[in-house]
Structures are given as structure tokens and as C-alpha cells.
């Protein structure tokens, strides 16, 4: 299943990814810090969705109370609820 998530409070505008049998792949961020978000996408590819969410949840960016990584965690949680 391809999942699309509109972020809130961060530089990236959307996050999309595939989730099959609890495994995340093909993560794409639109906007945001290009190099860092490409790295996150590579690091989580092929990994368990619940584990990724647990690791990334609560990560902040600067003075913001969230980050693109935290937003990915939220997106994964929503996708898991829909699955």
C-alpha cells in the first residue's frame, strides 16, 4: 500500500512510502533538507514500521517541537491504523 502524509510544522510538505506486511520502503520526502531526508529514507528502507516509528518519535528540529523524522513516525502510525 502506498501511503501519503501531509506534514505539519516542518519544512518538508509531504511524506510518501510503501508499507507491506509491516515493512517500510520507498520513502520520499517533498521539500525539507534534501541530504538528511535522503539519508533517513535509506536508513529506514526495508525495516519494520513499528520499530522505525519508536526510534523516530519525539525527535525535534531546532526550536520546533517536531521534525521531519518525527513526522515520519506519525505518518507510519497513521498508516498502521489504516492497514
Amino acid at each position: 500500500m502506498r501511503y501519503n502524509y501531509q506534514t505539519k510544522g516542518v519544512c518538508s510538505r509531504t511524506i510518501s512510502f510503501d508499507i507491506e506486511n509491516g515493512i517500510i520502503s520507498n520513502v520520499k520526502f517533498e521539500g525539507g533538507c534534501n541530504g538528511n531526508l535522503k539519508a533517513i529514507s535509506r536508513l529506514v528502507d526495508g525495516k519494520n514500521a513499528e520499530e522505525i516509528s519508536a526510534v523516530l518519535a519525539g525527535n525535534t528540529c531546532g526550536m520546533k517541537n517536531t521534525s521531519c523524522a518525527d513526522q515520519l513516525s506519525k505518518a507510519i502510525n497513521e498508516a498502521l491504523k489504516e492497514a
Side-chain angles (χ1 to χ4, degrees):
M1 163 178 93
R2 186 78 179 158
Y3 190 79
N4 297 297
Y5 180 81
Q6 184 154 356
T7 60
K8 297 161 192 73
V10 296
C11 298
S12 65
R13 294 176 295 282
T14 61
I15 304 170
S16 59
F17 55 88
D18 294 322
I19 183 167
E20 294 292 332
N21 299 318
I23 303 299
I24 298 294
S25 63
N26 198 24
V27 178
K28 303 287 184 207
F29 289 85
E30 181 184 332
C33 302
N34 187 40
N36 291 335
L37 297 176
K38 280 191 223 176
I40 289 172
S41 297
R42 287 181 178 187
L43 288 168
V44 303
D45 192 59
K47 304 284 190 308
N48 178 277
E50 290 178 354
E51 291 175 12
I52 295 166
S53 179
V55 168
L56 299 179
N59 188 56
T60 60
C61 181
M63 299 299 287
K64 299 173 185 175
N65 62 358
T66 189
S67 67
C68 293
D70 182 56
Q71 291 292 297
L72 177 56
S73 172
K74 293 176 187 313
I76 290 169
N77 289 337
E78 283 193 13
L80 288 170
K81 288 178 189 174
E82 289 186 17

